[in-house]
Amino acid sequence: MERREVLKLSAVAGTAGALTLGGVSFADAAPAAGRPGGEPVEQTRRVTGHLPTGAPDFVYVPVEVPRGVSEIAVSYAYDRPAVPDGTAGNACDIGIFDERGTELGGEGFRGWSGGARTEFFLRADDATPGYLPGPVNAGTWHIALGPYTVAPQGLSYEVTITLRYGPPGRTPSAGYPPDRARGRGRAWYRGDNHLHSVHSDGKRTPARIAALARAAGLDFITTSEHNTTSSHRAWEGLWGDDLLILTGEEVTTRNGHVLAMGTDPGVFIDWRYRARDNAFGTFARAIRRAGGLVVPAHPHATCIGCNWKFGLNEADAVEVWNGPYTPDDEVALAEWDNTLVAHSRDRDRRSRDLDRDRDRHSRDHDHDRADWLPAVGHSDAHRDPDVVGLPQTVVLADDLSRRALQDGIRAGRVWIAESSKVGLSFSVTGERGEYAGIGERLEAPGTTKVTARLEVSGVPGCAVSFVTDQGRLHTSALPPSGAGTVTWQTTPDNAAYIRAEVRHAPATPGLPGPMAAMTNPVFLGRRQPA
């Protein structure tokens, strides 16, 4: 049986980014032989339709699931007509919600594969990666179509739903990763918190990613699939004393992506809103309630829907370096540096605002949180030849645990490197022995001479720069070996903060070279009274 839906523009006027079509029923299916009592072994329905340019972000196809169903299988296809140069063609995502409904932030989510798959199934004991195994209860389920881009000719789609009948099955208990590993006590730990597997649009298995992480010299990783938590249970047997695996999600909205880093296993964060909906604050708080960090990802990426539009007020850190260093990372770095200047101007007001607006929604894990926005960097690796750990976030933490690592990131005790071959130490000292490391403040009078010192290794052919609120004030080439120490003197009156960059030689004269390593800042000067 087939049903066709033709969506006209007038039909979506006044919608809030979503539309629900007419339902698909299996109730009138003729019984089939093969089971006692004449129960059908399986039933299939097909829905076809057409979405115009300007269709809502999400189109829901209700499916009435009767009793006795043990498995739901869905496949879909859509047309890809030729479009003029510079015009987006058709791209349509897919997912599913169970009988608990499609309410934003509700409990009905059962999986999402975006545009990575053309078919999926789910049942009690198993599901396609990206989808959650569990009971197939009777009620109204919803296939979620996400017309990401629609060609001028519109988007014609076909969805095929198959219900298979049988015993309900049993959902195995989830084997989630522990939230700590052996570690080395208080130390600098290397990690990559932005990784994709076959559970979203990646091509690698969790086992392959874990092996690559170990080969890259990482101490911890975070699984961060697009809009699904299905990978959280897929790492059993892959963690160990040498590798901590944290769970999370890349919340992939139409107005940018955000890493929910280190959330509780199994906790899903909804993505179905835009900046205009004024909903992000609710879900940022949900990330923190689940024990995670809010980290906008690749904020100036050029892909459609990837540019971050929600602002940085809710962020715990920001990803300024995503994969191999590119011009959009340079823009993200400059934007982040501007936040440091703003902090230097009104740091005490920002600190009070953070205390008021964020602490009441946290787990009280962030007693060590900075009152400025730290920078992090991750690989966003999906498939070969993407390099896990390029770049990597290096965190000073009290031990190798979720809480300690998050405390270190919140406090800004972080530097970023292109690989584990890079070693780095950065500090600022005063005339009377005052000392501050990465993410700290050197309390000293404005006219006091202070000395920035960077020790670095593993970066042949690179140069070191010291950057302040005035810009890049000192640059020094390293020896050919790529190991050396660079120092520079200034005063708190002349520099509100100092951070270090280590860059390769520029490919284009007059432009900065690709980043090899960078630090978060050391702030200078005495705090002003609140």
Side-chain angles (χ1 to χ4, degrees):
M1 182 179 293
E2 181 174 310
R3 198 192 72 242
R4 179 167 178 79
E5 297 276 357
V6 179
L7 181 63
K8 300 182 181 298
L9 280 173
S10 59
V12 301
T15 62
L19 179 77
T20 301
L21 303 178
V24 177
S25 175
F26 286 79
D28 60 351
R35 287 193 178 276
E39 282 188 280
V41 174
E42 69 177 42
Q43 301 171 338
T44 297
R45 295 286 184 269
R46 183 172 292 105
V47 176
T48 61
H50 184 81
L51 303 176
T53 302
D57 290 349
F58 301 99
V59 176
Y60 298 105
V61 180
V63 179
E64 298 299 328
V65 176
R67 297 181 184 278
V69 173
S70 62
E71 181 177 313
I72 297 177
V74 177
S75 64
Y76 82 123
Y78 56 90
D79 65 336
R80 293 174 172 84
V83 296
D85 290 344
T87 301
N90 284 337
C92 187
D93 297 339
I94 196 166
I96 193 168
F97 290 77
D98 67 18
E99 82 285 353
R100 291 170 291 183
T102 62
E103 180 185 1
L104 187 65
E107 298 181 347
F109 175 78
R110 289 295 294 272
W112 183 256
S113 48
R117 300 181 183 277
T118 59
E119 59 185 16
F120 63 87
F121 77 91
L122 52 86
R123 60 178 185 255
D125 63 341
D126 198 7
T128 301
Y131 295 81
L132 308 180
V136 181
N137 294 325
T140 303
W141 290 53
H142 290 83
I143 309 296
L145 298 177
Y148 204 72
T149 56
V150 179
Q153 302 95 318
L155 185 152
S156 294
Y157 63 87
E158 176 182 290
V159 180
T160 302
I161 306 116
T162 298
L163 304 185
R164 298 188 175 103
Y165 291 77
R170 177 180 173 275
T171 303
S173 58
Y176 292 134
D179 64 3
R180 67 172 53 244
R182 177 177 294 173
R184 304 180 297 276
R186 186 172 177 84
W188 290 95
Y189 294 100
R190 297 173 181 266
D192 191 344
N193 300 306
H194 191 168
L195 294 162
H196 296 279
S197 76
V198 293
H199 284 263
S200 58
D201 59 344
K203 297 297 184 182
R204 292 165 171 158
T205 63
R208 177 65 175 153
I209 292 171
L212 290 171
R214 287 183 165 98
L218 300 182
D219 300 296
F220 67 96
I221 59 174
T222 302
T223 174
S224 58
E225 310 295 354
H226 294 286
N227 302 337
T228 184
T229 59
S230 70
S231 67
H232 290 190
R233 61 172 63 219
W235 299 85
E236 190 162 8
L238 299 177
W239 60 78
D241 289 342
D242 63 329
L243 184 66
L244 175 67
I245 299 174
L246 304 180
T247 54
E249 180 185 337
E250 183 173 8
V251 183
T252 306
T253 81
R254 297 296 180 90
N255 285 163
H257 304 183
V258 63
L259 299 174
M261 182 205 151
T263 46
D264 292 335
V267 173
F268 165 69
I269 304 298
D270 213 321
W271 79 100
R272 295 170 294 158
Y273 43 85
R274 295 196 190 195
R276 67 191 179 197
D277 299 321
N278 197 30
F280 178 66
T282 297
F283 293 97
R285 291 189 289 273
I287 291 170
R288 293 193 189 93
R289 282 196 302 272
L293 298 184
V294 178
V295 184
H298 47 65
H300 291 278
T302 56
C303 48
I304 294 173
C306 296
N307 210 272
W308 184 249
K309 303 292 187 184
F310 296 91
L312 298 174
N313 287 340
E314 291 284 357
D316 294 305
V318 62
E319 186 184 79
V320 302
W321 183 354
N322 175 275
Y325 199 79
T326 60
D328 57 85
D329 296 313
E330 199 69 53
V331 176
L333 179 69
E335 180 184 51
W336 168 71
D337 189 78
N338 288 343
T339 71
L340 303 181
V341 175
H343 163 75
S344 299
R345 182 184 64 243
D346 56 7
R347 58 182 178 268
D348 298 296
R349 178 188 59 78
R350 174 173 166 79
S351 179
R352 291 194 301 272
D353 289 347
L354 287 171
D355 288 343
R356 183 189 67 234
D357 296 336
R358 292 163 64 177
D359 276 355
R360 68 173 181 265
H361 302 294
S362 74
R363 289 186 168 183
D364 198 29
H365 285 186
D366 49 357
H367 57 278
D368 214 12
R369 187 188 66 240
D371 57 359
W372 50 278
L373 185 65
V376 294
H378 309 118
S379 73
D380 197 4
H382 284 69
R383 59 188 67 81
D384 294 339
D386 297 352
V387 178
V388 172
L390 170 59
Q392 53 197 249
T393 291
V394 190
V395 186
L396 179 60
D398 288 337
D399 54 48
L400 187 51
S401 67
R402 173 169 69 152
R403 176 168 179 170
L405 291 168
Q406 290 177 333
D407 284 347
I409 292 172
R410 287 188 186 97
R413 300 191 300 266
V414 170
W415 56 278
I416 311 169
E418 63 183 1
S419 79
S420 60
K421 295 178 181 178
V422 181
L424 183 150
S425 175
F426 177 57
S427 63
V428 181
T429 56
E431 294 177 311
R432 298 184 177 181
E434 304 96 331
Y435 175 93
I438 296 170
E440 298 176 340
R441 172 175 291 277
L442 186 75
E443 299 271 0
T447 58
T448 299
K449 287 184 179 180
V450 300
T451 301
R453 177 186 177 90
L454 180 77
E455 297 180 42
V456 66
S457 61
V459 286
C462 289
V464 170
S465 294
F466 292 119
V467 182
T468 77
D469 55 311
Q470 296 186 70
R472 188 172 284 103
L473 293 188
H474 178 81
T475 300
S476 179
L478 289 166
S481 66
T485 299
V486 180
T487 61
W488 175 65
Q489 283 195 332
T490 186
T491 67
D493 279 348
N494 191 48
Y497 59 86
I498 308 173
R499 59 181 183 84
E501 295 181 356
V502 184
R503 291 181 181 257
H504 294 280
T508 303
L511 294 179
M515 196 74 72
M518 59 169 284
T519 73
N520 274 277
V522 173
F523 289 94
L524 305 180
R526 291 174 173 166
R527 291 184 181 275
Q528 300 300 316

